Amino acid sequence: MVYQDLYMNAAIIYMIAFLGFWLCLWRAVSYLPWRLVRWWIHWVYLCVVLTPWKGTEPEIFYAPAIIVGAFDFLDVGPTGAMKALLPMIAALVGGSLFLVLVAIVGRHLRMKKAGQQSEQEESAVG
């Protein structure tokens, strides 16, 4: 019973810290002119901080994958660390590919709209 209260308090403190750092990050990257770069930085932060993984030493626990990976690297070695970090790496790569796709589609739509506007201007003048 005591451990459940301790875990709940730790989870609450972790979420408060997560939100505080996210607000600081939000403020810091708001000065960047590129919206997609801002989104990518937020995505990296979310993946690193919120990707869970189950550790087993000395008892079963859940923690961010980067923390479990660091301890597994020290205890087991690089193979154990890669096993713990694989979900986080997959989320980083998947989100990055999604943002690249959004950038390509957005650029294509903007170019198409600019082409249509120039055609309308040419037909109005001519």
Side-chain angles (χ1 to χ4, degrees):
M1 184 68 177
V2 174
Y3 287 118
Q4 290 177 347
D5 293 338
L6 182 65
Y7 290 144
M8 184 58 72
N9 291 340
I12 291 170
I13 290 170
Y14 189 79
M15 280 302 171
I16 291 170
F18 158 74
L19 291 173
F21 281 119
W22 197 17
L23 288 173
C24 291
L25 180 71
W26 194 288
R27 182 72 176 164
V29 300
S30 66
Y31 299 110
L32 292 175
W34 306 289
R35 181 177 39 171
L36 286 171
V37 172
R38 290 191 307 252
W39 289 356
W40 184 77
I41 291 171
H42 286 291
W43 179 250
V44 169
Y45 175 72
L46 291 174
C47 287
V48 168
V49 175
L50 293 180
T51 303
W53 192 253
K54 182 166 62 168
T56 56
E57 296 290 333
E59 62 183 45
I60 295 175
F61 63 92
Y62 284 97
I66 194 137
I67 301 297
V68 176
F71 284 117
D72 281 353
F73 181 78
L74 294 174
D75 292 340
V76 181
T79 56
M82 284 307 294
K83 184 179 175 185
L85 294 175
L86 196 60
M88 184 184 72
I89 293 169
L92 285 169
V93 170
S96 297
L97 290 176
F98 176 74
L99 287 175
V100 166
L101 182 65
V102 166
I104 290 171
V105 169
R107 176 66 56 116
H108 177 71
L109 292 175
R110 281 194 303 273
M111 288 175 61
K112 189 175 181 181
K113 185 177 179 181
Q116 289 175 350
Q117 286 178 350
S118 66
E119 286 178 7
Q120 289 175 354
E121 289 173 1
E122 288 176 6
S123 65
V125 173

